[in-house]
């Protein structure tokens, strides 16, 4: 691997050198076209009045032509050379021009006719001329340049160099071009082909033209040096990495007998290896068509239980092996964190809470929230009955169609806000709900959808290019919760002044328990929103799926109704609910087929090994480097026929009479991060189902379509259209 890395680096440098040489040569050719004759020595002039500019070229002309014209002005008085200049009776000694190229035996060009030679006085370069070259001393040449010219561009056969004039008389050292003339007894002829004087604005235009023509900066050698330096640093770092991190990883792979994950060419084409664009587009299309869960399942069926895949610049391993999940969620829990993508996606709405933190921060949140889900609070169903009454009142009794799924989400937002804040949104209560509370519920729904899209896509795009409505929804949700946080803090301050430690018979409010130990309003808001997500979505999604299935399975409805009739109309208690086995089977089977959280992921903190997934058969250990994301599909794992039988895709509550599940059944996650509110959700779902069966003796499906997903952060049925017959 190191050899290929170094070879690719040198190939890149060589290609840069070739392209640079071509660019320089092209630039030289393009520049030389500014001269009157690219094959003969030329000289640039600062004034335009000496001759007619041929075909729009720059101020260029032949020195030999100049000599010819000077000599032809007076045959009796030829031009004479001296340290003071070239003199001729035909020209004024008060005029000047600036020849810097000495040549002889050049044919004259009749196309170049002088207009007026009187404004010029010829002054040669200070040193003696050399044939077909500039007049060079051992190390320098001295020129007197016009006061209004700031730049001179010297052209060679391969390149050009700019010298900026800083004073009227300027000494330019040839060694600045890296040409050691001093080492040559006889400098090579034709070394410098031409020079052109330019004003600052002319030089800027010249530079821009060269950049446009070549497509590269004139400072390409500097860029090449920078690239060379970076590549050199990379090669050094790569060698160091191979002898440190690489050596340690090779030892770990050998020790555990790890094998690479099975190669899946269709999933890892050259485009997907770099960007993961194909899979991102396919996922987006499946999400739009409401078949994302089944799309993920089919990918597992085609590629096996463990495979590697890149999605949206993130290299990931996908698995549905229970042993791998046990390793990540329990056995090696400490070395697996939430993926950065999830944290970035959840942070704008949920802040830092139990679902968005790791390590000590997560542990603190869990210890803070766990006491509020003790059995006494879960079993207190009196308050919940009020909201059930609103639900029953919202269901038509004339057999008309109703979407129970929508009613269940209203029910759970009402009960969750009363449990958390001490005040309900009352979305189901006729005439009791305020516009402020209703808008909060809608804004919370939309914000969750945005967070879910960011989790599956590229969170940074949501962050850098947020729509105004997304910001508005998040702000609205925060302001709604902040109002209750302030009331809770004020309530605690009042109790502190009264030095009261008991609730004095007051009903339980989740926020009142939190403010006893947390005073930071931002922290309180974050924890409340995290619990609201779990408390509302889990119960509502489960209820919608249960009743979607009951409406299509009269046999299951009959068995469940028979069990509920055993209560003889009595309102269920926590103890009675625990003893209703068939109801528990129905809930378990619903969560198996339609888990509320259908997919999850973790990111490794350090190099580690998963028990399965390596090799062609996926039965060997699999090495996972640090910072690697491993995702799993609960939806797919719950439908594996090798775990649940050939009828794994069928709704069959009776399977739970004998089924003893392990890590292959994870509707509420597992290990230390298992959902602390699962009993709360199951109790609410059970109570709601019992009370509805007590009120309605019949149910019929009014939805001809199969179950259709609605995926946000959680997954629910798109709709549960039914007709209920009153008891």
């Amino acid at each position: 691997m190191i050899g290929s890395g170094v070879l690719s680096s040198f190939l890149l440098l060589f290609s840069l050198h070739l392209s640079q040489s071509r660019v320089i040569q092209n630039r030289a050719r393009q520049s030389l076209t500014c001269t009157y004759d690219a094959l003969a020595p030329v000289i640039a002039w600062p004034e335009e009045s000496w001759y007619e500019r041929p075909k729009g070229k720059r101020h260029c002309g032949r020195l030999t032509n100049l000599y010819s014209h000077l000599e032809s002005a007076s045959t009796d008085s030829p031009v004479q050379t001296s340290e003071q200049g070239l003199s001729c009776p035909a020209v004024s000694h008060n005029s000047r021009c600036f020849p810097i190229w000495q040549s002889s035996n050049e044919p004259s060009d009749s196309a170049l006719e002088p207009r007026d030679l009187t404004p010029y006085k010829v002054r040669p370069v200070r040193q003696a001329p050399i044939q077909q070259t500039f007049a060079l001393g051992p190390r320098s040449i001295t020129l007197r340049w016009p006061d209004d010219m700031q730049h001179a561009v010297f052209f060679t056969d391969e390149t050009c160099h700019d010298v900026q004039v800083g004073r009227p008389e300027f000494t330019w050292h040839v060694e600045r071009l890296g040409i050691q003339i001093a080492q040559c007894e006889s400098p090579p002829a034709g070394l410098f082909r031409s020079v052109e004087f330019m004003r600052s604005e002319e030089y800027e235009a010249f530079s821009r033209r060269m950049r446009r023509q070549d497509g590269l900066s004139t400072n390409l050698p500097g860029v090449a040096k920078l690239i060379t330096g970076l590549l050199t640093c990379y090669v050094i770092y790569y060698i160091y990495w191979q002898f440190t991190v690489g050596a340690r990883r090779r030892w770990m792979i050998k020790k555990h007998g790890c094998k690479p994950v099975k190669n899946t060419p269709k999933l890892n084409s050259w485009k997907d290896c770099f960007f993961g664009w194909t899979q991102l587009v396919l996922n987006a299309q499946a999400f739009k068509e409401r078949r994302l869960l089944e799309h993920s399942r089919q990918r597992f069926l085609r590629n096996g239980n463990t495979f590697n895949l890149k999605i949206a610049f993130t290299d990931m391993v996908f698995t549905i092996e229970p042993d791998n999940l046990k390793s990540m969620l329990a056995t090696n829990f400490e070395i697996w964190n939430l993926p950065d993508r999830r944290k970035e996606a959840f942070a704008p709405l949920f802040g830092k809470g139990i679902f968005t933190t790791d390590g000590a921060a997560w542990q603190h949140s869990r210890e803070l929230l766990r006491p509020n889900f003790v059995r006494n609070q879960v079993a207190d169903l009196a308050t919940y009955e009020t909201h059930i009454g609103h639900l029953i009142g919202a269901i038509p009794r004339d057999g008309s169609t109703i979407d129970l799924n929508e009613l269940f989400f209203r029910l759970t937002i009402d009960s969750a806000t009363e449990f958390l804040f001490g005040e309900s949104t009352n979305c189901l209560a006729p005439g009791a709900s305020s516009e402020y509370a209703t808008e909060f519920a809608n804004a919370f729904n939309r914000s969750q959808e945005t967070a879910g899209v960011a989790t599956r896509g590229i969170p940074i795009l949501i962050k850098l290019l947020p729509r105004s409505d997304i910001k508005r929804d998040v702000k609205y949700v925060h302001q709604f919760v902040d109002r209750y946080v302030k009331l809770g803090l004020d309530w605690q301050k009042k109790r502190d002044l009264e030095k009261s430690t008991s609730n004095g018979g007051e009903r339980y409010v989740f926020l009142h328990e939190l403010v006893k130990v947390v005073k930071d309003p931002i922290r309180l808001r974050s924890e409340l929103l995290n619990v609201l997500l779990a408390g509302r979505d889990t119960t509502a999604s489960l209820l919608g799926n249960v009743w979607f299935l009951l409406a299509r399975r009269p046999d299951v409805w009959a068995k469940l109704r028979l069990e509920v009739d055993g209560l003889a109309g009595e309102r269920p208690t926590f103890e009675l609910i625990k003893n209703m086995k068939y109801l528990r089977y129905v809930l378990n089977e619903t969560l198996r087929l339609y888990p509320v959280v259908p997919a999850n992921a973790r990111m490794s903190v350090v190099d580690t090994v998963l028990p399965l997934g390596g090799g062609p058969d996926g039965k060997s250990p699999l090495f996972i480097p640090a910072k690697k994301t491993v995702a799993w599909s609960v939806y797919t794992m719950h439908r594996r026929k090798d775990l649940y039988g050939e009828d794994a895709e069928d709704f069959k509550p009776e399977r739970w009479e004998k089924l003893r599940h392990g890590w292959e059944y994870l509707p509420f996650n597992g290990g230390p991060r298992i959902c602390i509110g699962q009993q709360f959700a199951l109790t609410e779902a059970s109570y709601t189902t019992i009370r509805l069966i007590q009120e309605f003796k019949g149910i019929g499906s009014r939805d001809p379509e199969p179950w259709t997903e609605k995926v946000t952060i959680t997954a629910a049925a798109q709709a549960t259209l039914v007709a209920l017959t009153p008891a």
Side-chain angles (χ1 to χ4, degrees):
M1 292 179 64
I2 182 172
S4 61
V6 174
L7 179 60
S8 62
S9 302
F10 283 118
L11 288 176
L12 177 60
L13 288 176
F14 183 67
S15 63
L16 285 173
H17 173 72
L18 290 179
S19 62
Q20 176 184 349
S21 299
R22 295 190 188 99
V23 167
I24 290 174
Q25 292 173 6
N26 290 336
R27 181 184 292 118
R29 296 191 193 98
Q30 294 289 339
S31 302
L32 287 173
T33 58
C34 296
T35 66
Y36 182 72
D37 188 343
L39 299 179
V42 294
I43 183 170
W45 303 88
E47 285 81 13
E48 298 185 20
S49 59
W50 181 62
Y51 63 86
E52 177 117 20
R53 295 170 60 187
K55 297 181 181 179
K57 304 293 185 181
R58 284 190 172 274
H59 322 303
C60 305
R62 281 195 198 163
L63 184 62
T64 54
N65 289 337
L66 173 64
Y67 283 128
S68 298
H69 291 301
L70 289 175
E71 291 175 355
S72 63
S74 175
T75 56
D76 297 332
S77 303
V79 178
Q80 299 178 359
T81 304
S82 68
E83 283 294 317
Q84 287 73 33
L86 298 176
S87 62
C88 178
V91 297
S92 170
H93 289 278
N94 295 324
S95 54
R96 297 183 304 172
C97 62
F98 308 97
I100 60 172
W101 193 296
Q102 307 295 318
S103 181
S104 61
N105 300 322
E106 292 289 339
S108 103
D109 191 343
S110 58
L112 183 63
E113 296 294 335
R115 284 188 174 184
D116 185 7
L117 295 180
T118 56
Y120 296 92
K121 176 183 178 182
V122 179
R123 291 181 59 86
V125 295
R126 181 169 297 176
Q127 304 296 332
I130 299 176
Q131 185 178 6
Q132 293 188 354
T133 66
F134 286 110
L136 300 176
R139 298 178 66 82
S140 65
I141 60 175
T142 303
L143 306 174
R144 181 172 294 281
W145 294 357
D147 294 341
D148 60 342
M149 294 291 163
Q150 292 80 35
H151 291 265
V153 180
F154 291 82
F155 297 101
T156 71
D157 288 335
E158 294 185 352
T159 184
C160 59
H161 302 273
D162 168 55
V163 177
Q164 187 172 1
V165 181
R167 52 189 181 275
E169 187 169 66
F170 181 83
T171 300
W172 174 57
H173 293 275
V174 180
E175 64 182 9
R176 292 181 61 181
L177 296 183
I179 304 171
Q180 301 298 326
I181 299 298
Q183 297 177 4
C184 302
E185 295 181 0
S186 177
L191 184 62
F192 296 96
R193 296 190 61 84
S194 64
V195 65
E196 186 171 346
F197 292 98
M198 300 181 189
R199 296 181 178 88
S200 294
E201 58 272 17
E202 291 178 325
Y203 178 73
E204 291 299 326
F206 170 78
S207 299
R208 288 194 297 269
R209 187 173 68 253
M210 290 300 100
R211 285 194 293 268
R212 286 195 301 267
Q213 291 172 352
D214 302 333
L216 292 173
S217 170
T218 55
N219 195 31
L220 185 59
V223 175
K225 290 180 181 179
L226 176 62
I227 295 176
T228 302
L230 292 176
L231 289 176
T232 302
C233 293
Y234 169 76
V235 171
I236 294 173
Y237 170 77
Y238 187 78
I239 295 173
Y240 168 79
W241 184 90
Q242 285 291 341
F243 281 98
T244 54
V245 178
R248 184 176 68 251
R249 289 181 174 179
R250 288 190 293 271
W251 172 83
M252 182 180 291
I253 291 172
K254 183 177 180 180
K255 176 184 177 182
H256 295 279
C258 299
K259 294 182 179 180
V261 69
K262 182 178 69 173
N263 184 33
T264 51
K266 291 184 178 180
L267 294 181
N268 297 285
S269 63
W270 67 269
K271 293 183 294 183
D272 293 320
C273 286
F274 286 100
F275 308 110
W277 177 255
T278 302
Q279 297 304 320
L280 180 64
V281 171
L282 291 176
N283 283 356
Q285 183 178 357
F287 171 76
K288 183 178 180 180
E289 297 172 358
R290 301 193 181 280
R291 55 177 184 84
L292 181 62
L293 301 183
E294 190 59 28
H295 169 70
S296 175
R297 178 169 173 263
Q298 292 300 321
R299 192 161 51 198
F300 276 102
L301 294 178
R302 290 192 302 268
N303 300 286
N305 294 339
T306 303
F307 55 86
N308 192 83
L309 182 64
K310 178 167 284 189
I311 298 180
F313 304 99
T314 303
D315 194 32
M316 306 171 68
V317 169
F318 286 78
T319 186
I320 51 173
E321 293 288 1
D323 289 345
N324 288 344
L325 303 188
K326 179 181 178 181
S327 175
M328 289 186 288
L329 300 178
T331 309
N332 297 312
F333 169 77
E334 297 81 5
I335 64 174
W336 292 91
N337 283 347
L338 299 177
D340 292 338
R341 178 182 293 184
R342 169 170 161 178
K343 295 177 184 178
E344 294 173 5
F346 281 22
L349 177 62
F350 297 104
K352 294 183 178 180
I354 192 170
F355 293 135
T356 59
T357 55
D358 292 302
W362 165 81
Q363 187 66 35
H364 184 65
S365 292
R366 191 173 181 87
E367 292 174 354
L368 178 68
L369 300 178
R370 189 179 182 87
N372 298 286
F373 290 95
V374 296
R375 175 176 170 177
N376 290 338
Q377 305 304 334
V378 173
D380 183 14
L381 298 171
T383 302
Y384 191 64
E385 173 61 31
T386 303
H387 301 295
I388 290 296
H390 296 159
L391 172 66
I392 294 173
I395 298 174
R397 294 178 172 268
D398 58 358
S400 58
T401 301
I402 184 69
D403 184 3
L404 285 181
N405 200 58
E406 181 181 349
L407 296 183
F408 289 146
F409 272 89
R410 293 185 189 179
L411 168 71
T412 53
I413 194 71
D414 286 351
S415 62
T417 50
E418 182 159 13
F419 173 73
L420 293 173
F421 309 140
E423 183 177 314
S424 174
T425 51
N426 286 321
C427 292
L428 276 177
S433 178
S434 66
E435 183 179 348
Y436 185 62
T438 302
E439 180 57 28
F440 163 73
N442 295 332
F444 189 64
N445 288 339
R446 293 191 295 265
S447 300
Q448 275 187 257
E449 292 177 2
T450 301
V453 171
T455 303
R456 293 181 294 274
I458 308 176
I460 192 66
L461 296 181
I462 303 296
K463 188 176 182 180
L464 294 178
L465 303 171
R467 304 199 313 263
S468 59
D469 55 339
I470 296 175
K471 284 187 173 181
R472 184 171 59 251
D473 287 339
V474 172
K475 182 179 180 181
Y476 197 96
V477 170
H478 286 176
Q479 289 177 342
F480 183 89
V481 179
D482 287 343
R483 183 171 72 92
Y484 289 104
V485 168
K486 185 178 184 302
L487 292 175
L489 290 172
D490 292 342
W491 176 85
Q492 184 59 34
K493 288 179 182 178
K494 182 179 178 181
R495 286 173 56 85
D496 291 341
L497 292 175
E498 297 173 353
K499 297 183 179 180
S500 174
T501 57
S502 64
N503 288 335
E506 297 179 2
R507 64 187 176 90
Y508 176 83
V509 177
F510 190 90
L511 176 59
H512 291 171
E513 299 302 316
L514 288 187
V515 295
K516 293 178 182 178
V517 291
V518 177
K519 307 302 180 185
D520 180 12
I522 303 300
R523 174 76 186 281
L524 287 169
R525 179 223 289 165
S526 298
E527 297 294 358
L528 288 170
L529 285 172
N530 277 255
V531 176
L532 179 61
L533 168 66
R536 188 197 74 149
D537 285 42
T538 303
T539 305
S541 299
L542 174 57
L543 282 169
N545 293 330
V546 166
W547 284 80
F548 181 92
L549 294 169
L550 289 177
R552 285 161 172 74
R553 290 293 299 274
D555 56 327
V556 176
W557 169 266
K559 290 182 179 180
L560 187 56
R561 180 168 178 77
L562 183 63
E563 186 176 57
V564 171
D565 288 343
L567 299 178
E570 180 184 353
R571 289 183 180 176
T573 64
F574 183 77
E575 293 298 333
L576 289 174
I577 291 174
K578 283 186 60 179
N579 294 328
M580 301 183 70
K581 294 183 178 180
Y582 195 73
L583 174 60
R584 186 167 70 252
Y585 297 161
V586 170
L587 296 181
N588 287 350
E589 184 70 351
T590 302
L591 288 170
R592 184 187 70 83
L593 284 176
Y594 304 109
V596 175
V597 182
N600 216 324
R602 291 291 184 270
M603 184 179 69
S604 59
V605 179
V606 297
D607 296 340
T608 187
V609 174
L610 291 179
L612 297 172
D617 59 356
K619 300 300 182 182
S620 300
L622 177 64
F623 174 77
I624 301 294
K627 300 298 182 181
K628 183 89 167 185
T629 298
V630 179
W632 63 92
S633 170
V634 180
Y635 177 88
T636 303
M637 184 175 67
H638 283 184
R639 293 167 178 253
R640 281 181 56 175
K641 295 182 178 181
D642 58 329
L643 299 177
Y644 291 97
E646 291 299 319
D647 58 354
E649 298 182 43
D650 299 334
F651 178 64
K652 186 178 179 182
E654 291 77 13
R655 79 173 74 246
W656 291 92
E657 293 177 357
K658 298 180 179 180
L659 182 62
R660 298 296 179 265
H661 65 82
W663 285 92
E664 71 279 0
Y665 181 70
L666 294 176
F668 294 101
N669 212 348
R673 293 194 80 130
I674 192 170
C675 179
I676 59 176
Q678 64 170 312
Q679 195 58 56
F680 186 88
L682 290 172
T683 301
E684 283 194 340
S686 299
Y687 188 90
T688 304
T689 300
I690 293 171
R691 292 289 291 115
L692 287 179
I693 292 177
Q694 288 177 334
E695 291 291 329
F696 299 94
K697 64 180 181 180
I699 183 174
S701 174
R702 293 295 183 267
D703 191 350
E705 299 296 327
W707 186 88
T708 305
E709 67 187 43
K710 181 182 179 181
V711 178
T712 56
I713 294 175
T714 57
Q718 176 65 22
T720 303
L721 302 177
V722 300
L724 295 173
T725 304

